[in-house]
Amino acid sequence: MIQRTPISLRAVLALCALAVLLSGCITLPRAHFTAAEQAIAQPPGFSQVRYAADDPALVTVMRQAIRADAKGRVDILAISGGGANGAYGAGLLYAWSKSGQEPRFQLITGVSTGALAAPLAFVGPGWNAKLRTAYASPQVQRLLRSRGLLGLVTPGFFSRGPLEDLVKGYVTDELITAVAAEHRKGRRLLVATTDLDTERLVIWDMGAIASRGGQGARRLFTEVLVAAASVPGVFPPAMISVEAAGRTFAEMHVDAQTQGAFFAVPESALLQDPARDIRDKVSLYIVINGHVDSLFAVTPRATIPVLGRAFDVANKSAIRGILVETAQFCRSSGCTLQVSALPASVEDKPLDFGLHHVRDLFAAGVAAELRGDAWRK
């Protein structure tokens, strides 16, 4: 059996830089559309299934749609991106669900790999076994399939085929039906992508999509999840078909980590004073599939290691920045905030989908929950 060497993020950074140099003369054709057309565009057959993150309507719709529990409380779970590191969050949520202590979240959001786990966490304890098997499946081990020279001159070094196969494998009619049923109960599942044409974060209401039913719902549900996990440079961007004013065209969507590691509080809510005091009513839990704290390591004196280390610093800084914004919002409005992040004892290697690494990450999530130290305020 051939043992494949895991591809590092630093190697991908180098390949992306080379791709930029080689692809200057190659542009794939796209249908033209205007900003006015894009502003009113919707996926064919759907309406009110997505919002810009800075749209005040998003806050209004969520407040009207989400139903508190019998005690008047609302529990929210936000799952970050992190590639293979998502196995940590999956392990944590699996053990939490098995313990019977996990809240019945009224709102779950997901970014990147977190978007792939979010539907399984949303539909309830009966699906927790799928969280365990998802990251150990052979499809996960084959996610990074090189496109060869084609990947250097067209968007995406790795083929999107394995990612699409993985998502299609678990987005079944049964899952769509289960998501739609929870949506009708006043619970919400939101997934974020970045629209490169508008440079805006787009929030997709996955329950609203599922509620339409049929193959159309399953197809769009799948397309959004694939788009959410399409890391720029790693996978080709996802082209999502929309229509406006009688015209059909395709928007270009990629991983929302281009704008933030996780999505918990809409931008429009962060930029305004809380409309009402939610003290002791809202609890927010954030799973960070990666390291947050600074870690010491001697950096080799070479171009790629320096670029890679600089990327790590920038990524952690961005995560901490969003955490601070979220914490400030909770402090001013009164919601409680708890965060779980990848322990320092586990390697942060988002592109290592090797079976041993993924199992170690999952086990770390399970162990953290069983020890009772998974969460910190």
Side-chain angles (χ1 to χ4, degrees):
M1 180 178 179
I2 299 175
Q3 180 66 38
R4 295 185 178 181
T5 302
I7 299 173
S8 70
L9 185 58
R10 296 175 181 181
V12 171
L13 286 172
L15 290 169
C16 289
L18 179 60
V20 170
L21 295 175
L22 294 177
S23 62
C25 59
I26 297 178
T27 302
L28 299 179
R30 290 189 66 189
H32 177 74
F33 56 93
T34 66
E37 288 174 324
Q38 195 285 325
I40 61 172
Q42 294 287 343
F46 292 86
S47 63
Q48 296 183 316
V49 296
R50 65 180 191 170
Y51 305 86
D54 57 358
D55 186 350
L58 175 61
V59 178
T60 301
V61 169
M62 289 301 108
R63 281 177 173 164
Q64 293 174 346
I66 296 174
R67 299 173 196 165
D69 65 15
K71 296 180 180 180
R73 295 190 51 79
V74 173
D75 293 303
I76 301 171
L77 172 67
I79 313 174
S80 85
N85 293 342
Y88 166 76
L92 185 155
L93 294 174
Y94 171 78
W96 202 10
S97 176
K98 292 282 285 184
S99 72
Q101 301 302 310
E102 181 184 28
R104 187 64 169 160
F105 294 105
Q106 282 82 10
L107 171 62
I108 295 181
T109 73
V111 168
S112 193
T113 189
L116 302 184
L120 298 177
F122 181 74
V123 291
W127 294 74
N128 57 24
K130 293 186 180 295
L131 283 170
R132 181 177 60 183
T133 59
Y135 283 90
S137 72
Q139 289 173 313
V140 170
Q141 318 306 313
R142 296 192 293 265
L143 268 180
L144 300 184
R145 189 176 71 198
S146 173
R147 299 172 66 224
L149 293 176
L150 188 63
L152 294 177
V153 294
T154 57
F157 185 71
F158 298 103
S159 170
R160 194 172 58 237
L163 175 60
E164 291 177 337
D165 291 342
L166 173 68
V167 175
K168 289 177 181 178
Y170 75 85
V171 179
T172 60
D173 291 334
E174 183 183 10
L175 178 64
I176 295 296
T177 300
V179 170
E182 295 304 319
H183 181 83
R184 288 192 293 271
K185 296 176 183 177
R187 301 177 66 228
R188 291 298 180 265
L189 170 64
L190 305 181
V191 164
T193 65
T194 293
D195 184 338
L196 288 183
D197 299 316
T198 63
E199 297 184 340
R200 300 174 82 182
L201 189 68
V202 179
I203 309 301
W204 298 81
D205 188 340
M206 305 302 282
I209 294 173
S211 295
R212 181 178 181 274
Q215 290 304 307
R218 184 175 174 182
R219 180 172 57 253
L220 182 59
F221 198 100
T222 300
E223 288 178 349
V224 171
L225 291 185
V226 171
S230 293
V231 182
V234 178
F235 297 111
M239 308 303 295
I240 297 181
S241 180
V242 296
E243 58 184 11
R247 293 191 62 234
T248 300
F249 51 91
E251 297 174 341
M252 183 180 288
H253 288 259
V254 297
D255 189 330
Q257 281 199 110
T258 55
Q259 302 199 44
F262 64 89
F263 167 76
V265 181
E267 292 176 21
S268 55
L270 289 171
L271 296 174
Q272 59 183 264
D273 292 331
R276 59 183 178 182
D277 185 14
I278 56 176
R279 194 172 307 278
D280 299 324
K281 297 177 183 178
V282 175
S283 295
L284 173 58
Y285 299 81
I286 301 174
V287 177
I288 303 294
N289 290 305
H291 291 153
V292 174
D293 299 321
S294 299
L295 299 175
F296 173 80
V298 177
T299 306
R301 196 174 179 180
T303 300
I304 299 305
V306 169
L307 284 174
R309 187 68 167 172
F311 178 87
D312 290 342
V313 171
N315 186 52
K316 289 179 182 177
S317 177
I319 293 174
R320 289 195 291 265
I322 303 172
L323 281 173
V324 168
E325 288 181 350
T326 306
Q328 289 176 334
F329 174 85
C330 284
R331 182 173 297 168
S332 64
S333 62
C335 67
T336 60
L337 172 64
Q338 296 192 65
V339 179
S340 181
L342 188 67
S345 59
V346 183
E347 288 188 283
D348 185 344
K349 296 193 293 185
L351 294 183
D352 183 0
F353 289 93
L355 184 59
H356 294 300
H357 180 58
V358 170
R359 283 179 174 173
D360 287 345
L361 289 163
F362 189 90
V366 170
E369 181 57 37
L370 293 179
R371 288 194 307 267
D373 61 3
W375 300 97
R376 58 180 176 176
K377 294 185 178 180

